[in-house]
Amino acid sequence: MRKENHPRIPTCTYRLQFNRWFTFAQAREIVPYLHALGVSDAYASPYFQAGAESLHGYDITDHNKLNLAVGSRADYDSWIAELHAHSMGQVVDFVPNHVGIAEPLNQWWMDVLENGPSSRYAPYFDIDWHPLKSDLRDKVLLPILSDQYGRVLERGELRVHFEEGTFYLRYGDRRLPVAPGTYRYILEIAIQNLAEHKDEDFYAEVQSILTALEYLPKRTETDPKRIAERIREKEIIKRRLERRCAEAPQVQQAIEKALARINGEPGDPRSFDALNELLNAQSYRLAFWRVAAEEINYRRFFDVNDLAAIRVEHPKVFDAVHRLLLELMHTGAVTGLRIDHPDGLYLPREYFEKLQQRCAKALAIALPQDGRASYMVAEKILTGAETLRKDWLVHGTTGYDFANQVMQLLVDSSAETAITKTFHRFIGHSLHFGHLVYAKKLQVMKLALANDVDVLGNMVDRLSEQNRWYRDFTLGALARAVRETIACFPVYRTYLAPGRPVSDEDRHVIERAVTAAKRRNPGIEESIFNFLRDVLLFRFPENLDGEARAAHTHFVLKFQQATGPIMAKGLEDTVFYIYNRLAGLNEVGGEPQQFGLSIDAFHERNLDRQRNWPATLLATSTHDTKRSEDVRARMVAISEMPELWRRSLQRWRLANRRWKRSINDVEAPDGNEEYLLYQTLLGTWPVQPSGLPEEAATAEYIERIQTYMVKALHEAKVNTSWIQPNEEWDAAMHDFTAKILDSSTRNKFVPSFLSVVQEIARLGAINSLSQTLLKLTSPGVPDIYQGNEIWDYSLVDPDNRRPVDYRPRREMLEALSASTFDDLMGNWPDGRIKMFLTQRLLRFRREHVDLFQRGDYLPLVATGTFAECCVSFARRLGDQWIVVIAPRLSSRIGFPPIAERWKGTTLEFPETLSLEHAHNLFTCRKLHHESRRISLADALPILPFTVMTNL
């Protein structure tokens, strides 16, 4: 690849999900295809060492090794060489926040479990070694058991093994270390088994090992010298034990006999006493997985027990985590970064600043004036009017904001009242979005993240005790104030940092949250909320010493780390599966309480991007989306046919009622679940090449829908959940789905459903083409999720992480040049028209990089019959320009929305655009205009979209 200027800004990224089903070798094979499509940069999911079965790569066990399930270093280098041969870069998804701890491959975590606070890696993790529960002092709670500890123990599922001088615990597929200091529990029994060999040297050697164990520094040591001694001596003891077993088989046999006794005998509870004593002496406490919410004492990624947070704010941790990444950047293998979940970082701004400095060093360049040495985007979810922090040294977000804005643009806002009324009538009650979010965030803090909030309550209680004005505030009242304030938080988090003034944005967020919490809790004394507000705004009492100020600051930073996961679990993973008014809007970063976005508002968002974040990613589908771009494009089309939707729901409910079950006098599935199911079917139902819907559902399709509904119901946590599955309810939903999709002639639902599918599928196709066109031409860097260059009707993971078949896509691309426009439009269900639009514009972007990276954004306004159905803007750089025309609300125009169906709708070109050489980018037809005004009927003669240009 030719020498690049830094940072290297992509013209288009293409997301690849690496796992054992899609490897570096397979990625290498599709590089020519991606280049031919017009992609400039591969955008890789995490491919560092993780669990072999991982389908996502976010459970990294070692940041400095590649995932061998994905390929070797030679495979990786071969893929990079192929990218470079096609002048392509690579943006990699990097996870600085947490590591996977389910696998023994994570040497840091295994060391912590073996050595407790004395582990050299203990400071790398966010572990509370002195929690409120005294039994957990100097221990890590490990909630990995499938049942209560005593039951698991006495069933014989926990067994100690011995191998190569080392004892370890086996539970199912998990292997856990045994603390060296506790080897004596086993060796003391073993030496009794060697009583007849007292005169042998190996007997004295075992005694000597026991003596060495007595003098081994304890696992609670934190003095660096004593820790170093422990590290050295414990390994010497293991080697001595291994050597003695190899030289004297009697020792090996005595140990095995001791283990047989310690491991107990199912049916004899007392036989497990010794094993119980051994396990209680470890640096971890084994527990039933359901106790995690209340007692876990290490910070996690959200509520995932197998993902432990790391303290990347510590210099040693930062250096250890980024070593391989920076090496790959130095060699040119990595040219850009996606930073996962920055809201989980202790100090996000400082992290980005430090990372950009290290990138500059790795690239052997001076840090640019704006501080951005490498292309970098942050997975930041923005809500409401929130904007990305301008002091973050990144190029923008990962594109959730654009995805939601363009989807809202395609909603018919005039149907809000009708759709809302239909929804409430169908489910039998009203749902207020704001109240629902508040309630579900409280639920999350009670069921999934209780300990995280309890820790904050105790921290603020200790702060109040330091001041005579606040010491009478009780722990209970302060803890409740913390919970209520978090429940009322309007954004994911704030970004206060020590030594920096509080921003107006953060001040507004905190004051708004506290005011709302006061209003919802008139029974809590107002001064308690005021105290919490002042602490959160760094308004500390004047008499605080340095240590107390540090404690106050630490509380604020920990509070900020906690609010994001609670918002995510309450909103994305709960409310978005309940508030199903128009489920296509229930997307990561989405605001489904808003029903539509005006054309003017969409232009304002684009203008802001062009001014402030011209290289931000523009996404429409991602690995995290609840449903693909094409599914959402169909589902929001429901807003264009509110009366048909209302009538259809009545018919479908009547036809399918016989398949419901009565569980405790309640119909299963309930109305809200049934309402979501019908939307999901409309969004995903397969269409034949003729444009007619498939007449019957395949077994594979039915299974996909059943799997999705299981996840949807469990995430909603209304009638069933992951923590407390309601198997009877789950079975009712499973069977209901199968029955209503049965292909027998007696099924009255499917024939009624198919006529609606046909209309929705056509409207959805136009919506999808429009959002693709807008993504490829708006300010920013368009991102394509794997396989979505043609129609893709995937649902939430794991459905959207199925392997992509690139062979037909490659063949389709190769044959594209021979296709006529009539052929593309007439056979729209095969997806070639989406690929045509994508390839033509990506190649054009590659040929005119500056126009898209630096060009002005000029909103254009249509006039005439269907002015509201036309989204148009120009991009201009000097005398170069393009004009984009995309349809919306196309049901008003007809299918397809082309030619005379646009009636008298026109568009006027601004005087700043020279019309000499102006033509249609796709058809190459010369632009016809009258006094700089064009007719949309003339501009869209065959295809339902267009780009005009003078290039």
Side-chain angles (χ1 to χ4, degrees), residues 469-721:
W469 299 329
Y470 311 120
R471 73 177 193 181
D472 286 343
F473 295 160
T474 66
L475 170 61
L478 286 165
R480 187 175 174 189
V482 168
R483 285 195 300 273
E484 291 293 327
T485 300
I486 292 175
C488 293
F489 238 61
V491 296
Y492 279 69
R493 67 165 282 177
T494 50
Y495 300 95
L496 280 78
R500 298 179 63 82
V502 178
S503 69
D504 290 340
E505 301 100 308
D506 287 336
R507 182 178 296 105
H508 174 72
V509 165
I510 291 167
E511 290 179 346
R512 178 180 166 188
V514 171
T515 299
K518 287 180 183 177
R519 187 176 65 250
R520 287 184 178 273
N521 296 274
I524 299 180
E525 188 178 339
E526 187 174 344
S527 60
I528 296 175
F529 282 114
N530 291 342
F531 167 68
L532 179 61
R533 178 202 60 204
D534 289 346
V535 170
L536 292 175
L537 289 172
F538 283 169
R539 297 171 185 163
F540 302 149
E542 294 180 4
N543 61 344
L544 289 186
D545 59 21
E547 185 178 346
R549 282 183 174 273
H552 278 66
T553 301
H554 182 58
F555 166 76
V556 173
L557 300 185
K558 297 299 290 181
F559 179 92
Q560 292 183 149
Q561 283 181 298
T563 57
I566 292 165
M567 174 72 96
K569 295 302 296 181
L571 179 64
E572 297 170 36
D573 292 346
T574 307
V575 172
F576 280 1
Y577 289 95
I578 300 173
Y579 192 78
N580 295 316
R581 179 177 66 171
L582 192 60
L585 299 178
N586 295 4
E587 201 44 83
V588 178
E591 296 181 65
Q593 78 278 20
Q594 178 182 328
F595 203 88
L597 185 73
S598 70
I599 294 175
D600 287 345
F602 177 74
H603 286 319
E604 280 300 318
R605 306 295 195 282
N606 268 349
L607 282 165
D608 179 72
R609 266 185 285 271
Q610 189 266 329
R611 284 191 295 262
N612 298 309
W613 306 102
T616 188
L617 277 192
L618 307 176
T620 42
S621 280
T622 76
H623 63 288
D624 271 337
T625 42
K626 306 294 185 188
R627 44 191 69 81
S628 76
E629 60 195 51
D630 297 323
V631 174
R632 293 199 310 276
R634 280 193 191 181
M635 291 172 75
V636 298
I638 291 171
S639 69
E640 298 184 52
M641 36 189 274
E643 183 57 26
L644 175 61
W645 175 238
R646 183 187 65 79
R647 293 197 312 269
S648 298
L649 285 171
Q650 291 174 340
R651 288 198 306 272
W652 300 341
R653 165 173 271 180
L654 189 62
N656 294 329
R657 177 161 284 163
R658 58 183 173 152
W659 303 122
K660 291 196 173 191
R661 293 187 196 173
S662 178
I663 300 176
N664 297 325
D665 299 323
V666 178
E667 279 191 345
D670 69 19
N672 199 8
E673 294 159 353
E674 187 180 1
Y675 191 87
L676 174 62
L677 175 60
Y678 294 142
Q679 290 185 76
T680 302
L681 294 174
L682 285 176
T684 57
W685 193 271
V687 175
Q688 301 174 40
S690 64
L692 295 173
E694 293 287 355
E695 294 182 357
T698 64
E700 179 190 8
Y701 177 79
I702 294 172
E703 185 179 355
R704 283 180 57 215
I705 299 301
Q706 289 171 324
T707 301
Y708 169 75
M709 292 306 297
V710 166
K711 180 162 186 171
L713 268 60
H714 284 220
E715 295 285 15
K717 296 176 273 290
V718 174
N719 297 307
T720 184
S721 69

Side-chain angles (χ1 to χ4, degrees), residues 4 28 91 127 169 179 343 363 369 386 438 469 478 482 495 508 537 551 588 596 620 659 679 713 759 848 876:
E4 294 282 354
R28 179 183 180 277
V91 176
I127 300 170
L169 182 71
D343 278 351
L363 294 167
Q369 192 170 358
E386 185 184 15
Y438 167 77
W469 299 329
L478 286 165
V482 168
Y495 300 95
H508 174 72
L537 289 172
V588 178
T620 42
W659 303 122
Q679 290 185 76
L713 268 60
E759 180 64 16
H848 303 93
R876 183 193 64 192

Side-chain angles (χ1 to χ4, degrees), residues 187 191 201-215 237 240:
L187 294 180
I191 205 165
D201 288 346
F202 60 75
Y203 185 90
E205 179 71 6
V206 174
Q207 283 186 316
S208 175
I209 290 173
L210 278 167
T211 302
L213 288 172
E214 288 182 22
Y215 287 96
I237 291 170
R240 287 177 65 189

Side-chain angles (χ1 to χ4, degrees), residues 267-311:
D268 180 5
R270 303 302 306 181
S271 68
F272 292 96
D273 289 353
L275 179 56
N276 180 58
E277 186 180 6
L278 173 66
L279 295 180
N280 285 338
Q282 300 308 307
S283 299
Y284 50 84
R285 177 188 173 104
L286 296 172
F288 187 23
W289 66 269
R290 288 186 178 174
V291 311
E294 295 184 21
E295 293 192 349
I296 203 158
N297 62 329
Y298 62 89
R299 189 165 59 87
R300 301 162 291 173
F301 172 75
F302 293 3
D303 60 345
V304 183
N305 296 337
D306 286 340
L307 296 177
I310 52 176
R311 304 175 72 182

